[in-house]
Amino acid sequence: MKSKPSIRCMFAGSNTSMGFVNFFGEILEANTNRIFIIKGGPGVGKSTFMKKIGQDLLDRGYNVEYFYCSSDPDSLDAVAVPSLKVAIMDGTAPHVMDPRYPGAVDEIIYFGDYWDDDVLVANREYIIECTNRIKDLFNMAYSKLKEAQIAYDEWKGYVKRCVDRTEYQRYANLLVGKMFKNFDVLGKEGRARHYFACAITPSGIRDYAETLLAPGMNVYPIYGGPGSGAKELLRRVAHIAEWQGFYTERSHCPIEPEDLDMVIIPDLNVAVINIWEPFRSAVPKDAGINLQEGLDLSACFNEAKLDEESRRALSSSRERFLGLLHQAMNDIAQAKAVHDQLETYYISAMDFEKIEQVRQRIVQRMLKYGKGCLSP
């Protein structure tokens, strides 16, 4: 009996303290067969188009990856089918994508061919007003996330002063020893894929780590927030795996996008995941994983190293960070509300019947890259 096809969910991009950061170039690995890039305005049906394609391929037995939109977490930015080496993605702002190998690998699907220009021209003033308002709201959100980063760095600085580095290194070495039974090198170059498992969205923090951890995977949680050394340890795990020649999946942290919040090593059937609020409050429960004894880095924390004034400053910086993060998400929520209004002007201009015909043709073209259609 064939196993049920799987759906993995993640974000190719996220709202961060550095603005919008994305890994759209890593949706598929090398030797891609085909990438379809959709161009068009809001409300033209890009996300629905991709969702239907994903469902068609699931119904035929293919595993599918859904890349959600951090600015509208109920919408898709891309769909990938790893076994077919095909993907379809939204190539409009803020993640503008253009063909790298036009015609040979990538091609553009322009939804502007299926809208009524007269309808859009009639709503020109409203479309311009909404577009500009959305831009302003995102600028406000990113400014607050930058302020939040400053408070975060202060919070992190106070915590680092309290960490017993000797104890930390001892615990870290124990965890690394559990994950890597030996240090044999595979004799090949380690590869990495980057994405966001969780993102800052208009509806709060959205986390899809549960869908990324395979059933039976050995998962090691690291409990620890800013300054605890959790992200330092995740970097260490990723570097060791790369040095040994393993392929890794690396989930980045929305508030520190250059750092990681999860590392998956499929060949070892192992993952290490950072647990800290507000981004991830607990280890995913429903993934059928083998939860291993991880690390609680509070064991390395000695608050007595801080005087009373520093303790108050630590608490204040944490509260400022959380407050600014909440304000930024409110701005992003307002931007989504305006974006929803903007979509209505485009929806009324679209010929969705013709778009459906295009979708059916795209599915058939994707299936040609398989060894025949798989039965549902």
Side-chain angles (χ1 to χ4, degrees):
M1 182 176 178
K2 290 183 178 179
S3 60
K4 183 179 178 181
S6 67
I7 302 174
R8 304 181 84 221
C9 303
M10 62 205 89
F11 298 91
S14 179
N15 304 301
T16 80
S17 58
M18 297 171 62
F20 184 77
V21 174
N22 78 84
F23 298 107
F24 269 71
E26 305 209 16
I27 286 177
L28 282 177
E29 292 189 71
N31 302 317
T32 302
N33 283 326
R34 203 73 177 170
I35 295 178
F36 300 93
I37 303 171
I38 308 174
K39 299 284 188 177
V44 298
K46 300 187 295 293
S47 178
T48 300
F49 187 88
M50 290 187 285
K51 284 179 181 178
K52 287 183 176 180
I53 286 176
Q55 188 60 54
D56 274 356
L57 293 164
L58 278 169
D59 290 344
R60 287 169 168 81
Y62 290 98
N63 296 331
V64 173
E65 294 180 336
Y66 287 155
F67 295 82
Y68 281 89
C69 174
S70 61
S71 300
D72 181 0
D74 294 321
S75 294
L76 290 177
D77 274 342
V79 172
V81 188
S83 63
L84 296 177
K85 296 184 180 179
V86 298
I88 184 163
M89 62 186 68
D90 180 352
T92 55
H95 38 76
V96 176
M97 291 289 292
D98 288 308
R100 185 177 181 185
Y101 306 110
V105 176
D106 323 77
E107 67 178 86
I108 289 176
I109 306 170
Y110 182 50
F111 276 20
D113 290 336
Y114 311 106
W115 64 38
D116 186 332
D117 288 331
D118 291 337
V119 173
L120 298 178
V121 170
N123 290 297
R124 179 178 182 273
E125 291 184 11
Y126 301 109
I127 290 172
I128 292 173
E129 181 182 350
C130 287
T131 301
N132 291 337
R133 179 58 178 157
I134 291 167
K135 181 180 178 181
D136 290 342
L137 285 164
F138 270 106
N139 284 338
M140 291 166 59
Y142 292 146
S143 292
K144 285 171 182 146
L145 286 174
K146 285 181 181 178
E147 290 183 58
Q149 175 76 63
I150 294 171
Y152 176 95
D153 288 341
E154 291 177 14
W155 176 15
K156 181 167 68 173
Y158 286 114
V159 171
K160 287 178 73 173
R161 285 162 55 181
C162 298
V163 174
D164 183 327
R165 291 296 298 181
T166 301
E167 277 296 283
Y168 169 79
Q169 291 292 357
R170 185 173 72 82
Y171 280 115
N173 289 340
L174 286 172
L175 180 65
V176 169
K178 291 176 185 177
M179 294 182 63
F180 300 96
K181 302 301 182 185
N182 56 63
F183 282 82
D184 292 338
V185 178
L186 297 182
K188 60 182 181 180
E189 184 178 357
R191 297 176 295 110
R193 185 190 193 193
H194 302 262
Y195 51 69
F196 293 94
C198 66
I200 298 168
T201 82
S203 55
I205 304 300
R206 186 72 64 94
D207 184 17
Y208 285 116
E210 177 182 326
T211 74
L212 298 166
L213 301 172
M217 180 169 280
N218 297 311
V219 177
Y220 295 86
I222 301 177
Y223 300 90
S228 65
K231 291 182 171 58
E232 176 185 339
L233 182 49
L234 282 159
R235 284 197 305 271
R236 181 176 171 187
V237 168
H239 290 158
I240 291 172
E242 182 177 6
W243 176 75
Q244 288 190 285
F246 288 111
Y247 164 75
T248 57
E249 292 191 359
R250 306 182 188 190
S251 169
H252 288 251
C253 172
I255 202 64
E256 288 185 295
E258 294 180 345
D259 275 324
L260 306 176
D261 63 19
M262 181 171 68
V263 177
I264 299 174
I265 313 172
D267 289 340
L268 294 180
N269 198 34
V270 160
V272 57
I273 184 170
N274 187 201
I275 309 297
W276 73 284
E277 294 188 84
F279 288 94
R280 186 176 291 122
S281 59
V283 179
K285 300 283 187 182
D286 302 324
I289 60 174
N290 292 325
L291 182 60
Q292 304 295 313
E293 183 180 1
L295 288 184
D296 184 350
L297 293 175
S298 64
C300 308
F301 187 80
N302 182 6
E303 195 173 348
K305 290 186 176 182
L306 295 180
D307 58 28
E308 190 61 33
E309 182 179 351
S310 296
R311 291 179 192 178
R312 287 196 299 269
L314 185 156
S315 178
S316 173
S317 59
R318 179 181 182 276
E319 292 306 313
R320 277 176 26 238
F321 166 73
L322 294 174
L324 287 161
L325 176 64
H326 182 72
Q327 290 176 39
M329 289 190 289
N330 282 341
D331 288 339
I332 296 169
Q334 290 183 54
K336 182 187 180 301
V338 179
H339 188 274
D340 290 346
Q341 181 183 349
L342 178 60
E343 285 185 339
T344 62
Y345 302 119
Y346 282 85
I347 290 171
S348 62
M350 300 305 299
D351 186 336
F352 289 110
E353 289 185 5
K354 288 185 178 177
I355 288 177
E356 173 60 17
Q357 293 170 12
V358 174
R359 187 194 68 80
Q360 293 176 14
R361 290 197 296 269
I362 294 296
V363 170
Q364 293 305 312
R365 290 181 60 193
M366 286 181 167
L367 290 170
K368 289 180 180 178
Y369 292 107
K371 296 178 181 178
C373 298
L374 300 178
S375 58

